[in-house]
Amino acid sequence: MELEAILAISMFVAAIGALLAGYPVALTLGGVALIFALVGIALGVFPDSFLKAFPSRIEGGSIMQSQTLIAVPLFVLMGVILERSRVAEDLLTIASRLLAGVRGGLGYAVVLVGTLLAASTGIVGATVITMTLIALPTMLRQGYDVRLATGTIAASGTLGQIIPPSIVLILLADAISNAASQASLRTGAGSAVVSVGDLFAGALIPGLILVAFYLAWIALTALTRPAACPPAVLEEGTAPLTAREVAIGLGAPLVLIFAVLGSILGGIAPPTEAAAIGAGGALLLAGLRLAPDANSRLSPVILAGLVSLLLILVLRNTLDLRVGDIAHSGAAMAGMGLTVLACLAFTASLVAGALVLRKAAQLTPALKSTAHITSMVFLILIGASLFSLVFRGFDGDDLVAGVLHAVPGGKWGALAMTLLVMFVLGFFLDFIEIVFVVVPLVAPPLIMLGCDPVWLAILMAVNLQTSFLTPPFGFALFYLRGAAPPEVSTLQIWRGAIPFIGLQLLLMALVAAVPALATWLPAIAAS
């Protein structure tokens, strides 16, 4: 074996070992890369021009200039605000009360609320912990089987990996798009661009199918083991739901989700602008939700902002509001004036929402949490970029491509081996590390072997979701164990997750056998 190949393999093994030892991810990736680069330069097998080009690669390349990655902090802010405004608590309370008296109704409510939280936050750890703290005590008090309760919560929490708008899909879109471009350059084919919208569209049908699988399993359990999921019983003195509670607690998050996804899938706005819509909408919803608790009188201002937003959308789609050397009718001129006033009202509502959050002592923690998560993501991305650059300098990408091409079974054999490796790594590494380190290495050769980029990305996302739910190292199980009551044993949590792991594997096999489940909707959206 050549010296370059030995160094490339040693570099990868050293990085994995350091990560498993608990060293910081970004510093580990960058530090290991620099050490091996210096060793390679000393041995004369690594060109130092690679390191000299690294600053310009960061500043002017696919990181700082990436329009896709701008959406990350906005979606993170959207999720953090909704998490801190107790929207999840309201969703679960309303859904469980609407399904009161239905056998398994509380389980259905957990799955549906997990779906909505996945579509509004996309943060797995926060969703699992929130659902555990809110739903698990209620389910146990209502007489639910511990295994069914914990399995339902853990599985519903991992939906944030696959239900758009997911942070995983945003980062995966950037990695897969770069991989598709590399594969196109190597094969001489036309340029292949994979957008965030493509992955959102591709993940929508598989995600909804998985939700249907979860609901079907609870329904089957209700039929075969009625004692495991009894009907929910409302406590005495519980007031009936009001129209305002349903509209704000359930309807408003649904409208926000449809606005964000609809604007992306419908081609109205690119992901970054849609993420801005989501962050602004989350601020308004949080303001409405927390205004009574904070003794604030700004609710009418926020409601006026929502009405003004609807007015802007109506005027934008019915009148020509372009400014320029265009002859406008009187109606168009009036529409422009109304649009300006509506924009001012909407801006005032955003300020009002921020003031309510500040009064409720949630604004500063939300901004700090967003800055922390965003900084972590981008620092890991910079470290991973240096790692992949040095790995490529040792011709490691050619080594990986050669291994995958040599696997028996062609495309399917290479795909199976890749998914197995990612599945095992998912026990120990977070999805960000896997997306930034592993995907750039394995995706280009797989695409060259004939894998559709969108289909490949969706399979990887479902695979990681399954890994995060699988005992004994699944991250979702760790989150649930940390927030669950002491009387719930670890073995019960593991046994509860097994049926849902089977459902996720069934979905993965279904997507692998029928690629149109992942590729049909993106093709429709593109046309």
Side-chain angles (χ1 to χ4, degrees):
M1 184 179 294
E2 295 182 359
L3 182 58
E4 293 92 333
I6 294 175
L7 289 173
I9 296 173
S10 302
M11 174 182 168
F12 190 81
V13 172
I16 297 297
L19 291 174
L20 294 179
Y23 289 98
V25 178
L27 301 181
T28 294
L29 295 175
V32 169
L34 284 176
I35 291 172
F36 275 84
L38 294 176
V39 171
I41 292 173
L43 296 176
V45 295
F46 183 83
D48 59 357
S49 58
F50 275 67
L51 294 181
K52 294 178 180 178
F54 181 67
S56 60
R57 176 187 174 96
I58 297 298
E59 183 177 357
S62 60
I63 297 180
M64 301 305 294
Q65 301 295 328
S66 174
Q67 293 296 316
T68 298
L69 295 177
I70 296 177
V72 171
L74 293 171
F75 275 125
V76 171
L77 179 62
M78 170 183 167
V80 171
I81 289 177
L82 290 177
E83 175 197 348
R84 291 187 166 274
S85 60
R86 298 209 304 248
V87 170
E89 183 178 345
D90 290 344
L91 282 172
L92 186 62
T93 301
I94 293 172
S96 59
R97 289 170 66 181
L98 289 175
L99 294 171
V102 178
R103 187 171 298 279
L106 195 52
Y108 298 141
V110 168
V111 173
L112 295 175
V113 171
T115 304
L116 294 177
L117 289 178
S120 56
T121 65
I123 304 173
V124 172
T127 303
V128 173
I129 292 173
T130 301
M131 297 288 287
T132 302
L133 294 174
I134 297 172
L136 186 56
T138 303
M139 298 179 80
L140 297 180
R141 191 167 57 248
Q142 295 284 352
Y144 269 70
D145 181 85
V146 177
R147 294 169 298 175
L148 178 64
T150 55
T152 302
I153 291 173
S156 301
T158 61
L159 288 171
Q161 297 285 96
I162 189 67
I163 298 286
S166 164
I167 301 298
V168 177
L169 296 177
I170 295 174
L171 301 178
L172 197 54
D174 185 67
I176 286 290
S177 181
N178 292 334
S181 299
Q182 291 179 31
S184 299
L185 290 175
R186 294 183 188 179
T187 58
S191 177
V193 178
V194 181
S195 67
V196 175
D198 292 334
L199 258 58
F200 281 4
L204 190 58
I205 293 178
L208 294 178
I209 291 175
L210 187 59
V211 172
F213 282 171
Y214 289 173
L215 295 174
W217 173 253
I218 296 174
L220 180 63
T221 305
L223 289 175
T224 58
R225 293 193 296 135
C229 47
V233 179
L234 296 179
E235 299 178 1
E236 292 186 11
T238 302
L241 286 171
T242 64
R244 184 182 185 277
E245 288 177 327
V246 176
I248 295 179
L250 186 60
L254 281 174
V255 171
L256 176 62
I257 292 166
F258 285 133
V260 174
L261 287 182
S263 59
I264 296 174
L265 300 181
I268 299 173
T272 302
E273 283 77 357
I277 295 173
L283 190 61
L284 297 183
L285 291 186
L288 285 176
R289 171 61 182 83
L290 297 177
D293 298 341
N295 295 320
S296 175
R297 299 180 180 179
L298 293 174
S299 294
V301 180
I302 299 175
L303 288 173
L306 293 173
V307 174
S308 66
L309 179 59
L310 294 176
L311 179 61
I312 292 171
L313 294 175
V314 172
L315 292 174
R316 186 257 184 199
N317 288 284
T318 55
L319 297 174
D320 185 359
L321 302 180
R322 292 175 295 173
V323 178
D325 297 330
I326 303 174
H328 291 287
S329 63
M333 295 297 294
M336 288 182 183
L338 285 175
T339 302
V340 171
L341 293 177
C343 288
L344 293 175
F346 182 68
T347 303
S349 68
L350 292 177
V351 174
L355 290 175
V356 171
L357 258 70
R358 185 176 181 274
K359 192 172 183 180
Q362 295 295 341
L363 181 61
T364 300
L367 294 177
K368 285 183 177 179
S369 180
T370 301
H372 175 77
I373 296 173
T374 304
S375 300
M376 176 193 69
V377 170
F378 279 87
L379 188 58
I380 293 175
L381 178 55
I382 292 173
S385 297
L386 179 58
F387 183 88
S388 63
L389 181 68
V390 175
F391 190 81
R392 191 170 292 116
F394 289 126
D395 294 328
D397 50 346
D398 293 333
L399 179 64
V400 172
V403 171
L404 291 179
H405 280 86
V407 172
K411 178 182 78 172
W412 293 104
L415 178 63
M417 189 184 77
T418 299
L419 293 179
L420 179 61
V421 170
M422 292 180 67
F423 182 84
V424 174
L425 289 177
F427 289 157
F428 312 105
L429 305 180
D430 193 49
F431 74 88
I432 299 177
E433 298 138 45
I434 296 175
V435 169
F436 287 159
V437 177
V438 180
V439 174
L441 301 179
V442 299
L446 287 174
I447 294 173
M448 292 171 62
L449 286 171
C451 293
D452 181 87
V454 174
W455 175 69
L456 177 61
I458 301 306
L459 282 176
M460 288 180 171
V462 178
N463 184 49
L464 288 177
Q465 181 188 7
T466 307
S467 177
F468 292 166
L469 191 61
T470 301
F473 301 110
F475 281 142
L477 305 181
F478 287 153
Y479 293 136
L480 196 151
R481 173 67 277 172
E487 61 268 20
V488 177
S489 69
T490 301
L491 185 59
Q492 287 174 320
I493 295 174
W494 289 1
R495 293 177 64 187
I498 290 175
F500 295 94
I501 295 169
L503 295 176
Q504 292 183 352
L505 292 174
L506 177 61
L507 174 68
M508 195 185 310
L510 192 61
V511 174
V514 187
L517 291 174
T519 59
W520 175 73
L521 199 55
I524 294 295
S527 61

